[in-house]
Amino acid sequence: MSLVNFEPAARRASNICDTDSHVSSSTSVRFYPHDMIRLNRLLTIDTDLLEQQDIDLSPDLAATYGPTEEAAQKVKHYYRFWILPQLWIGINFDRLTLLALFDRNREILENILAVVLAILVAFLGSILLIQGFFRDIWVFQFCLVIASCQYSLLKSVQPDSSSPRHGHNRIIAYSRPVYFCLCCGLIWLLDYGSRNLSTSKFKLYGITFTNPLVLLSARDLVIVFTLCFPIVFFIGLLPQVNTFVMYLCEQLDIHIFGGNATTSLLAALYSFLCSVVAVALLYGLCYGALRDSWDGQHIPVLFSVFCGLLVAVSYHLSRQSSDPSVLFSLIQSKIFPKTDEKNPEDPLSEVKDPLPEKLSNSVSERLQSDLVVCVVIGVLYFAIHVSTVFTALQPALKYVLYALVGFVGLVTHYVLPQVRKQLPWHCFSRPLLKTAEHNQYEVRNAATMMWFEKLHVWLLFVEKNVIYPLIVLNELSSSADTIASPKKLDTELGALMITVAGLKLLRSSFSSPTYQYITVIFTVLFFKFDYEAFSETMLLDLFFMSILFSKLWELLYKLQFVYTYVAPWQITWGSAFHAFAQPFAVPHSAMLFVQAVVSALFSTPLNPFLGSAIFITSYVRPVKFWERDYNTKRVDHSNTRLASQLDRNPGSDDNNLNSIFYEHLTRSLQHSLCGDLLLGRWGNYSTGDCFILASDYLNALVHLIETGNGLVTFQLRGLEFRGTYCQQREVEAITEGVEEDEGFCCCEPGHVPHVLSFNAAFGQRWLAWEVVVTKYILEGYSITDNSAASMLQVFDLRRVLTTYYVKGIIYYVTTSSKLEEWLANETMQEGLRLCADRNYVDVDPTFNPNIDEDYDHRLAGISRESFCVIYLNWIEYCSSRRAKPLDVDKDSSLVTLCYGLCVLGRRALGTASHHMSSNLESFLYGLHALFKGDFRISSVRDEWIFADMELLRKVVVPGIRMSIKLHQDHFTSPDEYDDPTVLYEAIVSHEKNLVIAHEGDPAWRSAVLANSPSLLALRHVMDDGTNEYKIIMLNRRYLSFRVIKVNKECVRGLWAGQQQELVFLRNRNPERGSIQNAKQALRNMINSSCDQPIGYPIFVSPLTTSYSDSHDQLKEILGGPISLGNIRDFIVSTWHRLRKGCGAGCNSGGNIEDSDTGGGTSCPANSATTASDPHNSVPQGSTGHPGQGAGSGLHPPTTSYPPTLGTSHSAHSVQSSLVRQSPARASMASQSSYCYGSRHSSLRMSTTGFVPCRRSSTSQISLRNLPSSIQSRLSMVNQMEAASQGGMGCVQHGLPSSSSSSQSIPACKHHTLVAFLGAEGSQSGATEAQPGNTSSPATISHARKGEVVYRVQIVDLSQILEGINVSKRKELQWPDEGIRLKAGRNSWKDWSPQEGMEGHVVHRWVPCSRDPSTRSHIDKTVLLVQIDDKYVTVIETGVLELGAEV
């Protein structure tokens, strides 16, 4: 039924939005006051209906008006319903009345489908009535069911109890007639089968399935179910049609064909179709083999071929995702490749999501690998089966395999996961097998591979690729002939059962072998020793028992959830109804158990009604659970209008801005989740499992949907950073430890060390969740936010920011490649003609003497002369760093352009601040507007900028953004950027290592997803009445998460309860009892993770697939994908290594290592050890920048040595922290590496001073870059030592020439060179520096302290921190846990440090360091000094430096 719209002409005249309609009016519409009232009713209808477009926005208000004297009478309105193009009838209904009576169909196909279903309901119902299936009152009941099914096509129930969404659901209208047709067809088929059975009987486990009594009983059961349709649909036991089809295909694929869970209706149909095609192809081989002759010692070769292909096909299907979209896109890209046409005008053209290409490459690699591996597997298992191993070694072989699978499965899936848990067996208080990161306070590197993780991977590999295939092939060989015999199932049906059973067992063992060993052992014990007479061959026994065990596991999870949820000693009543329902649920415990059994049989959720202790069964759902493909969309500049970006700043709430961190977390999990699961870092897992990742501010629920062989599809749901009170209580429950609990019932006698107390152990067993691991390492971003108001409170700080703003503009304009073009632009020259006058002054009132450093008080403005006084030196330096320096005098065109741009930029800042820069709020508002790129050119003097808008986009906008970062650096070292060299290198370093963008800019999201090392943004938060500005700094690092495994039936039940309560029962109370905290079930966190608007997560990821091939550590154990290209590369690389090895062996003194690095002598070009040093991360900020000189990018190579006693590592960590503390120091270190830094970084040594000489080139230090004075002195020493050793020197004699690259110093002479460098470091740093690379003494001294071990003497005992190592606040991050335990009064005992004691510094904590490992907790540097075997923590002001230790 379609409602009538306005006449098209009338719609245009009244400016009402056009909508499609099947009906129109032939007369124009006149508007009267009562018509406007009705139109107002129309335009104020329910927004949910507007969203679904299920009502017509344009009713036909045509009416027939009588004479004037009858105008006051009530006018009758009618709708024209068009039956044919020229035939219509008038319907005298009000629009809302008509809408309440009939649903509106928007497409012609919906009308056709409704008519067809109505006819089918009537036809099938009449057949059943004619054949006499219903009598007496049941005829009336059946007719009532028919009427309800037909009427639902006209007007459906909205909302329905099984509707998964708010508002009008179009699909739910077809549920009743479709289910009615299915039930009627099933009734007729069962009745027909009971009356026309063949003579052959199909019997399994004593049940004759072809018995007419069985079919008649099934028919009567379906009849009763059909008569109960009104109650069934009212309770909501049947889902909408598309959900049911997806559920049915998924269940058949999992339990019959051994498939995985699916992600959509298309994926379910695709996966089911692939399984059917595989069975059809294998059925022919099996049928042909069974028709051949069998005997006790001979198996047909064709059956061996079938077995080999069965294993290969099962392996391939287990490795494929159910979602075919990536595969289809890959095929499409190969057949119809697309050319990327980028529009340079489009700012989004540079933003590209790397995930689709990564997924496509992963699928391509897996297909290529399967092409090779499946052939090898098929041939291998064919060869094994065609031999006599499965016949000659019986019956000993099968018992050996059973014992082997029991032992390996028990160790892999029970013992190892239990001893790695945080609370093993809920008895011990800490893991029995701990990871390397377990005791670390803050993790700095990726997770370390442990031996038990390697053991787990290899056991799992052998179990699912060797043991299970051998068991299945053994059962196929021993059972095939019996199954296909006439006494069992005959050849045709037997071949089908053999194929299906073999495919199911093999695919399930490849995909999810976690609980397979329990099924195998129980089946063997049950059918071999207890009830051997009931066995239907071991192959069919394993097949049916695997289905039964999956249901039993589900029943166990449901009962655990129910018992945990209703336990009286931990019940949490969220409302008065909960207290009322608790005692009434006790007498219905038997009914609750029956519900649990039925729900486990059909895989339906068992949900608490309104969050109480009363449980009801919901409708069937797939593993994915949610029927809508819902995922949150981030609001940024790519999906909002420009006007809203400028005025209202959409998406400025914290939840929208913080969702990017969960999106990045999803990408990190996509890279590593599958490999971590295979390494056992999340414990046991299976399809549908739910985990919670909890960190300091991140709390996310991870739902595993599909678990295949080397792949896992998951969905992440991120919760709010600032959650509700209930959420915080549950977060505390999962993060607090239970080790300190000493209770035993009512007393506290304590507990055995490292063992839980009785109360703690009892409480842990009554939880629907458990902590799997407390230190799961994942790459993410640490968030630092500073209030911009506090940083810009005083005028002096705002002046610093403005100064950096101007210098940033000058930097970007001088380093731009279009500078010559801008200087030659006649339009710009004409616009800047007034600025070229030396006496020109801009007296715009927006300039402020408190903020602008170059403000001329005499002229009350910014003059060109005052500008040159302050910034000419900076312009000259920036120009000198260009490849082609330009003329930079006061009257040059470059100075004019810089002056004009700087005046324009500050005027734009004043305009955005509403000319109220003295007001902090206005200044921050303008600063944020410029930061996000909102430049308003309001002055005629600035219109010359329109000649090339690149000046705004590439000069002014980066200038304001860089100024904020430079302003932050100003707090750590206020006077450091007064030196132009330091400032220039700092900007270069920030450009290379830091992304500065507005959070609404698509480039921000792209940078986060691309794993940029650091990001900075200015955030304006307007949420819950707050209006504040924050400077957000992100640093990529490794985060530590707690992994909590939640009972998956608890999650499904609570989700189903929330959906029913909010959608069907329409309980909109924000403080409803069902979302109150319940620590035993994490009720609030789980309910908060529902799809919006049922829950309120800030991020819901799309379904994401993680592949094991992307996990680097797993590759080290099992190797990468095996493809033809990888095999070719391996052969070629092996051949080249053999040739190098043979060539090196033929030379005197050569070896393979030398040949790999270019020979046996040291060559600086081949020194690449710094690249492999994970701690050597000093950024070369000046390298490769277009505006630098030719020599600025040359840096001598460095060679690092493994630390002997820990001192080298600590010294290098100090150097890294100093470099990270200030980008200027990083750039200076890179420039001065020729004269000092690189030499010292290549001279790391142990405290012993000697390292054995080696022939390898990696133990040599090049002499070409050392100062001439040191080279001459070293040559003298070498000559003396060579003479004393009979002329056998370690290095060549004489002075090394500047072109020589082969002279080097062996490691045994390092101590000599360090002594020389300690004495002459300052002179060499001053005399041997490259031209243009100047370094400050402070920088050199810091480098010396960071690289050379130096001694200190204690002079002030009051500066010693005696108890810092046992502080509960953990202010400092220690380099080693053992050192921490020795660095305080608790370890010194009777010894205490005294004045005059000397020791060497092993670690250094610096204030405001970016690296947490070298960050001081106070505003002073803290040293860790080793005195003999004791460690002393002392503030740097309490020691006297004695110099470098030689």
Side-chain angles (χ1 to χ4, degrees), residues 15 210 264 311 409 510 628 636 664 676 742 746 862 1004 1168 1346 1414:
N15 195 24
T210 54
S264 63
V311 177
F510 283 130
R628 295 178 60 193
D636 57 21
H664 181 266
D676 290 336
E742 298 181 352
C746 302
I862 298 178
W1004 173 269
T1414 58

Side-chain angles (χ1 to χ4, degrees), residues 911-936:
T911 302
S913 304
H914 307 296
H915 304 284
M916 297 173 61
S917 299
S918 58
N919 182 273
L920 179 60
E921 287 294 329
S922 300
F923 183 82
L924 290 174
Y925 180 84
L927 181 64
H928 180 264
L930 265 60
F931 188 87
K932 68 179 182 180
D934 181 13
F935 279 81
R936 312 277 178 102

Side-chain angles (χ1 to χ4, degrees), residues 547-568:
I547 300 175
L548 177 62
F549 261 78
S550 66
K551 300 301 179 182
L552 290 177
W553 282 115
E554 192 169 339
L555 176 62
L556 177 62
Y557 292 140
K558 291 180 185 297
L559 294 178
Q560 287 179 348
F561 166 49
V562 171
Y563 295 151
T564 301
Y565 194 81
V566 302

Side-chain angles (χ1 to χ4, degrees), residues 1158-1176:
T1161 59
S1162 174
C1163 180
N1166 294 332
S1167 179
T1169 56
T1170 54
S1172 61
D1173 189 355
H1175 302 286
N1176 193 358

Side-chain angles (χ1 to χ4, degrees), residues 423-448:
L423 305 175
W425 289 284
H426 292 157
C427 293
F428 299 93
S429 60
R430 62 180 184 178
L432 301 182
L433 292 179
K434 294 184 289 187
T435 60
E437 300 82 20
H438 184 267
N439 293 325
Q440 295 182 8
Y441 176 72
E442 191 170 354
V443 181
R444 290 167 288 179
N445 300 313
T448 306

Side-chain angles (χ1 to χ4, degrees), residues 3 7 45 192 301 578 597 620 697 708 729 733 737 771 825 846 872 928 1008 1011 1104 1200 1299 1368 1379 1393 1438:
L3 302 184
E7 181 73 6
I45 59 177
Y192 178 82
V301 177
H578 290 181
V597 173
V620 295
Y697 50 88
R729 299 293 74 76
V771 179
N825 192 308
T846 191
L872 183 61
H928 180 264
V1008 171
N1011 267 340
T1104 309
S1200 60
S1299 60
K1368 294 184 178 180
I1379 293 179

Side-chain angles (χ1 to χ4, degrees), residues 129-145:
L129 287 173
I130 291 172
Q131 292 186 358
F133 288 102
F134 305 96
R135 298 181 184 277
D136 301 330
I137 191 64
W138 304 118
V139 175
F140 173 77
Q141 174 67 18
F142 186 68
C143 292
L144 185 64
V145 171

Side-chain angles (χ1 to χ4, degrees), residues 39-109:
L39 182 60
N40 184 53
R41 290 178 57 195
L42 167 67
L43 297 178
T44 57
I45 59 177
D46 190 2
T47 55
D48 292 337
L49 297 179
L50 282 174
E51 181 182 355
Q52 302 301 329
Q53 298 181 4
D54 289 320
I55 62 173
D56 202 326
L57 293 180
S58 303
D60 188 356
L61 300 178
T64 303
Y65 297 99
T68 307
E69 62 273 7
E70 298 178 358
Q73 297 180 1
K74 183 178 180 181
V75 180
K76 293 184 178 180
H77 301 275
Y78 65 89
Y79 292 89
R80 292 184 176 183
F81 178 71
W82 293 91
I83 301 176
L84 294 175
Q86 299 298 329
L87 180 62
W88 58 271
I89 61 175
I91 302 177
N92 295 322
F93 271 97
D94 179 76
R95 180 191 62 82
L96 295 179
T97 306
L98 186 61
L99 187 62
L101 185 61
F102 299 111
D103 285 339
R104 173 178 174 264
N105 295 333
R106 293 185 297 172
E107 299 177 0
I108 190 64
L109 292 178

